[in-house]
Every structure is written in structure tokens, then in C-alpha cells.
Amino acid sequence: GSLSVTDSQGVIRHSTVANVLGQSRQDLYLFQTLRRQANAGMVADRPFKGVTGEMLIPLGRRLEGPADTFQGVAVATMRLPQLREFYHSIDVGPGGLIRILHPDGQVLFREPSSRDPIGEPALEDPVYRAFRAGKASGLLDEEPGPNERPLITAFHALPSPGLLLAVSLDRKAASAEWRNKLAVDGGLLAAELLVLAIATATILQLLRARHAATLRLASRERQLLPGLAAIGGLEEVAGD
């Protein structure tokens, strides 16, 4: 992963990856959303393939100045394969699924799976379609589901980092109605707490990056002050 800070125009001014300095991120979903929405919190961008071939996801927060003016964004990239392994290990019962979708219509996780689904289109996914229809949470009967089996699905749109979370049980495997609801709601709560824990850790990383960038800027200004003072003294001598 990496940490980067842009200015208000989307140009990267500080980064742990030197070769991206000066590049523009103005057209990114993350930058556009954070510039437009002052209370957006943490926002997840579309996943992309890094230089090493690994899939990464950028998570960013808005940076503000005096009077809550937009000053840019701080962005941390996270390696998706590591998270995928974790979600793959969660037991949701035979035929069950955990899905995390980007609000732009891409799959971040769909586990368990036999192949990596990161970045696949999710425009026809029932959870995504329900979200696009204006539902922030709810229960769905999927027949058949993405695994070709009938599912009972609970989903919830997390406002920060702006992702769609869904936990599904195989309808045939869940025999009693009360057990269905308990298992789905319990799985949803556990998965949501997991995502929020990851988001909290990332927020702390971003805050540390912002603080470090501020310290670097202050240090550079202190280094420049003696030189500027010397130049001013030379100009006064020349004027005399």
C-alpha cells in the first residue's frame, strides 16, 4: 500500500511513492466525491491493478482548511488480496456468501469463490440493483443467487467508506425462519464491524500521513527562512 496527499486541484504533492508526485488525480471518483461532499467521511475508490500486479483499493478522506474550505485529499491504498483471504476464511455455512460491492458497480469481494472476482462488474447484482433503486439496507430473496442457489440476503450500505455489504445464507440450508433472521443479522453485524475496524485503522493512517506532511512542510519553511533573510539583506546593501 501507499499514502498520498493531493492539493485542492487533485495534484499529488506528497506521497510514499516518489514517481507519482505531480500527477493529477482530479478525475478519480474518490477525489470528485470528497470535493463535492464536505461530510462524506471516508470514501473508497474503484479497485485498480498496481505496478506489481496486485489489486489495490484507494481509501481517502477530505482535507479542510480555515472555514472548512476544501484543501485536497489524503489517500491510503490497501492490498485487496490480503483482505480477500480473510473474507474467504469466514464460515457463512454451505452455499453462503459474503459480498462487498463498490457503489460504482464493481465487485470488491465475493467469497467464498474459486477465482478472484475483484473488479468484476456488479451492475446486475440484486444487491446493487436494490441500492440503485434507493434502498440503503434490507432483506432480499435471490432465486437463484450468484452461486446458482436460492439465497436469503441481508445488505447494508455503509456511508463510510461508501461500500455495499451483503451477507447471504443458502435458503435450503437455513431451515427455520427465526434461525434465518438470527444468522443473517448476526453475520451482517460481524462483517460490518470488521469493515468499520478496517476503516478506523485506515483513518488513523491517513491522519498520521496528514500530520507528517504538515511537519515536512513546516520543516521546509524553516529551512528556507535563513536564505530568504540573507537575500533580503543583500538587497538592502545593494540599495545603499
Side-chain angles (χ1 to χ4, degrees):
S2 64
L3 294 170
S4 301
V5 178
T6 79
D7 60 19
S8 60
Q9 300 303 312
V11 178
I12 297 176
R13 298 303 183 187
H14 304 279
S15 180
T16 56
V17 181
N19 61 2
V20 303
L21 291 172
Q23 294 183 11
S24 176
R25 296 293 185 265
Q26 187 178 36
D27 295 333
L28 292 184
Y29 170 89
L30 179 153
F31 182 84
Q32 294 288 338
T33 301
L34 290 174
R35 181 169 63 177
R36 193 171 56 247
Q37 300 178 18
N39 59 348
M42 177 171 289
V43 173
D45 211 322
R46 306 176 186 92
F48 70 96
K49 186 175 290 187
V51 293
T52 62
E54 282 191 316
M55 293 299 293
L56 304 170
I57 182 169
L59 297 170
R61 285 190 67 87
R62 175 186 172 106
L63 301 179
E64 295 182 340
D68 298 332
T69 56
F70 177 68
Q71 298 296 311
V73 299
V75 182
T77 58
M78 298 185 66
R79 299 168 60 193
L80 287 179
Q82 292 179 327
L83 295 177
R84 180 185 176 232
E85 291 174 6
F86 183 83
Y87 286 117
H88 188 82
S89 68
I90 298 175
D91 184 11
V92 286
L97 282 174
I98 292 177
R99 278 170 284 175
I100 298 181
L101 310 178
H102 191 275
D104 198 38
Q106 291 189 41
V107 176
L108 298 182
F109 302 103
R110 186 170 59 227
E111 300 300 333
S113 62
S114 58
R115 58 185 178 83
D116 190 351
I118 296 172
E120 290 183 358
L123 299 178
E124 297 304 317
D125 188 289
V127 172
Y128 181 75
R129 291 169 64 182
F131 170 74
R132 294 295 295 174
K135 295 181 179 179
S137 61
L139 291 172
L140 297 175
D141 281 326
E142 298 186 66
E143 205 168 343
N147 58 1
E148 301 303 321
R149 301 173 69 155
L151 298 173
I152 299 173
T153 298
F155 73 94
H156 182 65
L158 299 173
S160 179
L163 299 174
L164 305 177
L165 173 64
V167 179
S168 303
L169 293 181
D170 188 308
R171 189 187 305 158
K172 294 180 180 178
S175 55
E177 182 177 351
W178 68 269
R179 188 176 178 181
N180 292 348
K181 190 175 190 307
L182 178 62
V184 173
D185 289 349
L188 180 61
L189 178 60
E192 182 172 349
L193 288 175
L194 173 64
V195 173
L196 291 176
I198 294 171
T200 301
T202 306
I203 289 171
L204 294 175
Q205 286 182 323
L206 294 175
L207 290 176
R208 284 195 292 268
R210 182 182 181 185
H211 181 61
T214 302
L215 290 179
R216 286 196 298 269
L217 287 174
S219 176
R220 289 177 185 175
E221 289 175 356
R222 286 195 297 269
Q223 292 171 359
L224 289 174
L225 284 177
L228 293 174
I231 292 173
L234 289 175
E235 289 177 346
E236 290 178 3
V237 172
D240 293 338

